[in-house]
Amino acid sequence: MTTRTEDRFAVEITSTIPDYNKPQKMGRRLWAPMFALSLMAWPVAMMLAGIRASEIANPSPDPVLVARLGQLVPAVMFIGFLSVFAAISLAIARILGFFRKGGGEVQEAAKRQVHTLRMPGSAKVFMALMMMATMIIAVAVVLHFAVAAAVGDWSVATIEQWSIVLEAARRLGVAIYLVAITLGLGTIISVLRFQSQRIRELGSEAAHT
């Protein structure tokens, strides 16, 4: 395998089709389970919200139960958001894997050396931001469960302070995830540009034996 830069694209040149890289393998295996998890978490969150609303409407509501459910609802809801954002990110990695393998198959079928785009900087930042956002939201969810368990022992003011902080953390995680997904889509555009250029080159190259 050799590496070189062609018209702003850093490529790896091999005689055979490259395999999926690790993120792409993860994307192929995990995007569907993560999406399924989001579809399970959201109905549970809605049921908990309904129970909380019913308790608030009760003539003699239990304040501890209401406060506890006030922590559990966003926790379970954001398990769903975390899962669906992860599913989207993994689906992007899966798509990039199909382009990587499919582009190699076209070049090999044409009996040419296989040129594969090296991982762009946007893809590396995409993965870093995705992991960062995942950790932020996951920590916020865990802390929501911890605060829910502490209801009754902590003061109302303390619980409210934690709720505000965790809401800010959740929103930050969502914002970072959206930026990461944007970079992932930008990476798909880069791959399409490279493959379009590579297809145009195939006709002028000698067959590889």
Side-chain angles (χ1 to χ4, degrees), residues 172-201:
L172 175 62
V174 169
I176 294 174
Y177 241 127
L178 293 175
V179 173
I181 290 170
T182 301
L183 290 172
L185 296 174
T187 302
I188 291 177
I189 294 172
S190 296
V191 171
L192 289 173
R193 288 178 55 223
F194 165 73
Q195 292 198 344
S196 175
Q197 172 183 296
R198 180 61 186 148
I199 289 172
R200 291 195 299 268
E201 293 173 349

Side-chain angles (χ1 to χ4, degrees), residues 6-111:
E6 299 179 348
D7 295 336
R8 303 186 309 278
F9 293 111
V11 301
E12 295 175 349
I13 303 174
T14 58
S15 57
T16 58
I17 302 171
D19 194 10
Y20 300 109
N21 58 33
K22 289 183 180 180
Q24 292 163 358
K25 290 177 180 178
M26 288 180 59
R28 286 168 57 83
R29 294 171 184 167
L30 297 179
W31 79 271
M34 295 304 293
F35 183 61
L37 179 59
S38 70
L39 295 180
M40 291 186 287
W42 284 328
V44 173
M46 293 299 293
M47 285 189 291
L48 291 175
I51 294 171
R52 184 171 186 262
S54 177
E55 183 64 25
I56 292 173
N58 193 311
S60 301
D62 182 349
V64 173
L65 178 59
V66 171
R68 187 163 288 151
L69 288 171
Q71 299 297 320
L72 295 179
V73 170
V76 178
M77 182 66 71
F78 271 81
I79 290 175
F81 278 115
L82 175 60
S83 301
V84 77
F85 284 138
I88 294 170
S89 300
L90 291 166
I92 289 173
R94 182 170 179 257
I95 292 168
L96 290 170
F98 282 133
F99 282 134
R100 176 184 175 91
K101 196 101 176 200
E105 289 172 350
V106 169
Q107 295 175 72
E108 188 176 65
K111 300 186 184 302

Side-chain angles (χ1 to χ4, degrees), residues 78 85 129-130 132-138 140 164-180:
F78 271 81
F85 284 138
L129 291 179
M130 183 187 76
M132 184 188 302
T134 298
M135 288 189 290
I136 291 172
I137 297 176
I164 293 170
V165 170
L166 294 178
E167 181 180 1
R170 296 195 317 263
R171 293 187 179 190
L172 175 62
V174 169
I176 294 174
Y177 241 127
L178 293 175
V179 173

